[in-house]
Amino acid sequence: MNDIKTRYRYGKPDSEGRTPVHIDGAAEPAGHVRKIGRGSEPWRAVGIKETLGTSHPRKYEAAERIVRMVDADTMFAQDVAHRRARRTAPPEGWQFVSWEEVERQGYRRVRPVHRAPLVAAGETDRYPDAFAEVPVTLTRVTRLENGYVVISGREHGQHSPYVLLMDPAHAELGALIPDRAARYVGHGRCPACERDTALYRAGTRLACARTTAADLGVPVDHLPAPVEHDSAVWWRVGDSARRTFDLPDHGHAETGRIIETTTDITDRTRQARVDYGGRWAISSAVSALAPLARETGPLRNLGVDTAGTPLLAGPRPVGELCDPLPSGADEADSVVVQAHAVREGDLILADFRQAADGDGGGREADHFAIAYTAHPAKSCGECQECHAAGGTADYALRYVVLSTDEGGCDIWFRNEPVLIISSANLSR
């Protein structure tokens, strides 16, 4: 840093006797100095964001005070930026996962964020300032109606239970798992032992639980185990649901709002507490809940598939079943193309169910909960989807990949109908 006396210059005084002070060659002044009397401290320094300022014996001391004020603001801004960057910068050898991913994948050993101060006063975002020193063995994750999350489990070498209550901003930070943490990918034949069993991916290797645990040097019971919730819906607090079981007549309706969910990591089960409008909320397994029946709007005829079967699409069921489309996307612009005709940037809305008895011989669009952008690419050849499709001799002729991510390739039959909004219509 240069000497403070060389870092500022005075501007031209205004009609009220205030002299602007420019710092480090800036075109705009950072404040001004002004002589206000004949006392021991006649010079007033007022920063650009201040109203009162401070008094000083000499003019240069008032100007230097504005320099120090600018430096303090700069250091504070840098510190805030550093704290904000830490939200997405895990320690070496670790990676962040969200608490929903912990629940879905059944990660049993994680390092929660133990201290999560606010990024800056007046903000609501928090940053991870300290993590659990050693992984915590999780037993349960509970989400409350107010957005708070409670996790419970045990710490290595501790006899008392481990419990951590996190507010929504704290929970949003997620937790740490090792970079090479195993991920459950489904059942199949293990390339190492050639048994049909549960398969895990650790790095690029796909193997059974025993082989994966040996590769990682951990016990088998440390591997994740996804929740067996027997439900096509991942229920969240705030969702509306319909019960499939009877209740005593205490004013309970058939449908209600979920006010709490509990994922048991050990037993691999989920429960939801639902307010059906009666005397008390009712807890049940999520498998006992069903989505609300949606009203079917008028169907649009969008043409036919390669077999001549009509393709139909109803309005996108936004709310309970689907998220809204991104800004700039109009459902009226949706069209059907074959998968091989999908282009970079197209927005994929739905695939089409096979025609069933009573459907009039047509195939209706099955809207995805979240529309996603197409990024056609070559298959990675390593994910579970590629292994499932790669056994056919004419793989390259039968399939196309419409996107890829850490979860695997999005593989479609080349001639399969896809409901999209073209990138050209999205950019209008």
Side-chain angles (χ1 to χ4, degrees):
M1 185 65 69
N2 296 329
D3 182 76
I4 195 170
K5 294 181 173 59
T6 66
R7 295 184 53 206
Y8 68 87
R9 64 177 177 83
Y10 297 120
K12 183 178 179 180
D14 62 15
S15 59
E16 298 183 7
R18 297 177 299 186
T19 301
V21 179
H22 299 261
I23 309 299
D24 296 329
E28 296 297 324
H32 66 266
V33 297
R34 178 184 182 187
K35 193 171 184 179
I36 58 174
R38 295 179 177 274
S40 60
E41 295 183 335
W43 287 96
R44 174 76 65 177
V46 182
I48 195 69
K49 299 178 182 179
E50 295 182 310
T51 54
L52 297 178
T54 55
S55 298
H56 304 270
R58 296 174 178 82
K59 182 178 181 180
Y60 75 86
E61 292 178 332
E64 290 176 0
R65 185 261 176 180
I66 293 179
V67 175
R68 289 190 292 270
M69 180 189 66
V70 169
D71 289 346
D73 288 346
T74 300
M75 292 178 62
F76 177 75
Q78 292 174 343
D79 194 35
V80 169
H82 174 69
R83 292 196 292 267
R84 187 168 284 117
R86 289 177 61 179
R87 289 171 56 87
T88 55
E92 185 177 358
W94 299 84
Q95 61 175 303
F96 281 116
V97 291
S98 69
W99 282 108
E100 180 166 309
E101 188 173 356
V102 170
E103 293 179 83
R104 283 179 175 269
Q105 293 297 322
Y107 289 116
R108 297 177 175 180
R109 290 172 59 80
V110 302
R111 291 176 61 193
V113 178
H114 271 184
R115 191 164 59 242
L118 293 173
V119 170
E123 297 194 15
T124 57
D125 289 347
R126 298 183 179 274
Y127 73 98
D129 190 43
F131 300 92
E133 292 187 7
V134 296
V136 172
T137 301
L138 290 179
T139 56
R140 184 171 296 177
V141 178
T142 301
R143 295 179 178 271
L144 306 179
E145 186 176 18
N146 59 4
Y148 280 63
V149 176
V150 183
I151 62 172
S152 57
R154 65 181 186 274
E155 294 178 282
H156 180 70
Q158 300 294 323
H159 297 290
S160 57
Y162 174 93
V163 179
L164 179 64
L165 172 67
M166 300 176 287
D167 67 20
H170 185 173
E172 187 181 347
L173 297 175
L176 294 178
I177 62 173
D179 274 340
R180 294 192 66 236
R183 181 185 182 93
Y184 174 80
V185 295
H187 275 68
R189 182 174 293 276
C190 174
C193 64
E194 297 187 349
R195 292 187 301 123
D196 287 329
T197 182
L199 297 179
Y200 292 83
R201 183 177 298 282
T204 59
R205 184 172 185 184
L206 186 69
C208 64
R210 185 174 59 186
T211 302
T212 301
D215 287 346
L216 298 178
V218 300
V220 172
D221 62 4
H222 285 190
L223 298 181
V227 170
E228 296 176 346
H229 53 83
D230 295 326
S231 174
V233 179
W234 183 264
W235 295 103
R236 299 181 177 92
V237 171
D239 287 347
S240 296
R242 176 175 58 83
R243 57 183 170 88
T244 61
F245 53 90
D246 294 329
L247 286 174
D249 186 13
H250 292 296
H252 296 293
E254 291 291 328
T255 62
R257 187 175 63 86
I258 296 177
I259 61 174
E260 185 178 303
T261 63
T262 299
T263 301
D264 194 309
I265 303 295
T266 304
D267 294 341
R268 302 190 300 171
T269 58
R270 289 194 87 213
Q271 286 210 333
R273 191 160 170 258
V274 184
D275 181 4
Y276 294 107
R279 295 181 183 177
W280 52 79
I282 303 297
S283 293
S284 68
V286 293
S287 57
L289 303 178
L292 299 185
R294 62 183 177 91
E295 296 181 1
T296 57
L299 297 176
R300 290 190 295 151
N301 191 323
L302 300 173
V304 296
D305 62 12
T306 54
T309 306
L311 299 173
L312 310 172
R316 183 176 175 82
V318 175
E320 299 302 331
L321 300 179
C322 295
D323 288 349
L325 293 178
S327 176
D330 187 344
E331 189 176 353
D333 292 328
S334 60
V335 295
V336 174
V337 298
Q338 292 181 358
H340 68 81
V342 174
R343 297 293 179 256
E344 177 72 26
D346 291 349
L347 188 66
I348 299 175
L349 306 184
D351 58 8
F352 287 83
R353 305 185 185 100
Q354 294 301 317
D357 294 340
D359 283 351
R363 298 177 61 184
E364 186 177 346
D366 189 7
H367 291 269
F368 297 128
I370 302 176
Y372 62 97
T373 303
H375 301 291
K378 294 182 179 180
S379 62
C380 71
E382 296 183 353
C383 68
Q384 182 184 8
E385 289 75 13
C386 286
H387 282 292
T392 58
D394 56 349
Y395 172 85
L397 299 177
R398 297 186 65 188
Y399 301 101
V400 292
V401 177
L402 297 188
S403 68
T404 59
D405 56 28
E406 60 182 12
C409 295
D410 181 29
I411 300 177
W412 296 63
F413 285 107
R414 288 180 56 83
N415 294 331
E416 189 171 352
V418 190
L419 185 64
I420 67 165
I421 299 176
S422 70
S423 58
N425 285 333
L426 290 173
S427 59
R428 288 189 313 181

